[in-house]
Structure formats: C-alpha cells, structure tokens
Amino acid sequence: MSCSPTAQDDRSFPPLDATLSGQEARLLFGAAAMPDGGQSEVIGSYAQGCLAGAERLPETGPTWAAMRLSRNRNWGHPELIDFVEDFSRRVAEQTPWRGVYVGDLTQPRGGPMLSGHVSHQSGLDADIWMLPPTRFDLSPAERENLSSISTRSAGGARVGENWTRTHMEVMRLAATDPRVARIFVFTGAKVWMCDNARGDRDWLRKIRPAVGHHFHFHVRLNCPSGSRDCVPQDAPPEGDGCDEARARAEAILNPPPPDPNYVPPPPRPPMTVADLPRQCAALLADL
C-alpha cells in the first residue's frame, strides 16, 4: 500500500511545521480526547493514516456493547459505526448470539495508537470479540474487567474447545457485507471454515489468516465514497485461500528448522507526524 494518495498530486499544502513534523505521532493522536469536528473523511491507509470527523459508537445498543471504554477507541468513520450497529442486529436476528461485544475501533482522530495496534488508524477497522454476549447493560468496571475467550489450540493451527459453528456464522455475516474488505482471524479458524462451510463459499476469500486474532476477529471495511484520500488495500487474491491456510497450519505444527544465518531486521523507528499524509497534521492543530 502506498502511504500517499495519488489524489493529493493535484493539490498543494502549506509547509509542515518543523517542530511538529518530527514528533512521535502516537503520542499526539493518543492524546486527542475528541474528534476534530470537521467533515468525515478517511485519510491515508489503514496502517498509516488518520480520520477527520469521527463518530462515536454508543457505549450500549440493543445488540452491542462497546468494551474497554477507558481506551477511548470506540470512534470511527460513520460508515464503520453504521456497519457495527447493522452487523450486530443481523447477528442477533440470524444466529444464536444476542449481538456482539465490540473491542477497539479507532481513536477520536485516528492515527497511530499508544499501544496495541499497527492498523486501526483510519477509522475503518473493528475488533469483534469471540465471547458470545450475555447482556449489554454492563457497568464501566465490567467493560474493563470482562475478558473475551480464546478460540484456538495447537498454537493457532487448530480451533480450540471454545470455538463453535456460530463463530463461523457470525464471520460469514460480516464477510458477505459488501462494505467489508477483509476479516482477519487465526489460521486454524480459516482452515476449520474451509473444511465446514457449505453452499456459497465466495465469502471465504475475505477471511485472511493472521497471527493472533483468537480472542477477537478483525473486520476491515473498504474505502467509503467521498473519502478521496483513503488508500485502499489490494483486493485479496483470487480463490478461497484454503490451500494457503492449510499450508500455514502445517508450518505452525511442523515449523522448519531455524536459519542459523538469519539476522533480524532492526526495529522500526516510531512513526512521526511527517510519516503520515499531510492532512493528518492539520487534525492536531488544536491540541
């Protein structure tokens, strides 16, 4: 993915303030308690961007509850907020679950987070807990202390005892929504769905194996209309991806011997404001 939208090429921007440009972006965006109040727009990419005009997912709805409110990450582009509310209703209507518990969306102005995520920067990502909800009128303390459940075993190569067929049905509902670009979940879940899905299997293409993602699955939306500076991710490869997922599972179960000559790459330096699209600096002007 490119970090600079081609739509910027025909526009000019004022010089970036030298003092601001070198500052660590996560510290500034993590300090923003409220959105900027402008028009809603996704800027940049999922892992190198920000969000103007964010909307807040209400803490509680008839079929959802936002969790870990102390993080202040239940913000998103209006299309993401609409998706979460609509998706939770369909889960309640079409599966045994009463709705969903919702983890991290993004910060009030998007951007890099203080901890926990590389993506979730542009207001189009949502973490949905694997824990089937029992009630939604949770107290603030319950939202902080209640834990999701792990659904993996064998290091992520297989599903565990907490995995149910309903988990697949919930993810299928998300994947068949045209707004959804990808769903990230641990490798064993993808393999199980490949082995057990019946009928139309086109939605499996959107299910992408990812490290971790066994306490929650991660939904990523396509760029919304009207966000000309949103940088999309390449579409998933053709096909259902099942052979690739099975190969990943086999590599987890039978890893190749370590390369004695392998030299790990140096750690990446912190992302600065200058590393983000130019419009992101403007979202920090009143902080």
Side-chain angles (χ1 to χ4, degrees):
M1 291 185 295
S2 168
C3 67
S4 299
T6 55
Q8 293 185 16
D9 294 346
D10 61 351
R11 289 174 288 165
S12 60
F13 297 95
L16 185 61
D17 179 86
T19 303
L20 183 64
S21 65
Q23 293 192 46
E24 194 172 341
R26 71 185 184 98
L27 300 179
L28 298 175
F29 281 96
M34 295 295 292
D36 70 310
Q39 181 177 349
S40 298
E41 185 178 7
V42 174
I43 300 166
S45 68
Y46 305 97
Q48 199 167 0
C50 57
L51 175 65
E55 289 189 7
R56 188 172 190 170
L57 177 70
E59 296 177 4
T60 304
T63 51
W64 77 86
M67 309 300 285
R68 303 293 189 267
L69 299 178
S70 64
R71 297 178 179 178
N72 198 24
R73 295 176 180 175
N74 56 323
W75 301 84
H77 185 277
E79 189 140 317
L80 180 67
I81 305 305
D82 181 71
F83 165 80
V84 170
E85 296 180 359
D86 176 58
F87 168 62
S88 72
R89 286 192 293 269
R90 289 186 290 122
V91 167
E93 292 167 355
Q94 300 180 42
T95 82
W97 286 14
R98 299 178 60 187
V100 295
Y101 288 147
V102 184
D104 285 352
L105 304 184
T106 195
Q107 300 174 139
R109 304 187 191 196
M113 293 185 176
L114 290 172
S115 63
H117 293 290
V118 174
S119 60
H120 288 255
Q121 293 191 27
S122 61
L124 296 174
D125 294 291
D127 289 342
I128 306 298
W129 280 22
M130 294 292 196
L131 179 67
T134 55
R135 42 184 278 263
F136 300 113
D137 58 338
L138 302 171
S139 69
E142 287 174 311
R143 294 172 198 262
E144 295 299 319
N145 297 316
L146 183 66
S147 294
S148 188
I149 53 173
S150 175
T151 50
R152 75 175 184 181
S153 66
R158 300 190 180 106
V159 297
E161 63 181 4
N162 289 325
W163 175 267
T164 68
R165 189 173 188 87
T166 301
H167 285 94
M168 178 176 73
E169 293 305 313
V170 168
M171 277 183 255
R172 184 189 62 80
L173 282 177
T176 52
D177 190 306
R179 294 171 288 188
V180 172
R182 276 174 167 76
I183 294 173
F184 300 104
V185 71
F186 70 98
T187 297
K190 168 81 176 193
V191 172
W192 193 94
M193 288 187 274
C194 287
D195 292 343
N196 290 275
R198 299 292 181 264
D200 178 15
R201 294 168 56 90
D202 290 346
W203 59 273
L204 286 169
R205 181 185 179 199
K206 293 184 182 180
I207 307 292
R208 312 308 301 176
V211 175
H213 294 86
H214 54 104
F215 285 95
H216 68 264
F217 64 92
H218 175 164
V219 180
R220 171 167 292 171
L221 301 192
N222 292 300
C223 285
S225 60
S227 287
R228 62 180 292 192
D229 293 321
C230 179
V231 179
Q233 192 170 0
D234 292 338
E238 293 294 331
D240 60 18
C242 290
D243 288 343
E244 295 85 346
R246 294 185 180 104
R248 285 175 61 104
E250 179 61 27
I252 294 171
L253 295 171
N254 298 290
D259 180 357
N261 299 316
Y262 173 73
V263 177
R268 293 183 180 180
M271 188 177 294
T272 66
V273 174
D275 294 323
L276 297 171
R278 182 65 60 87
Q279 302 96 308
C280 293
L283 299 183
L284 303 171
D286 62 338
L287 296 179

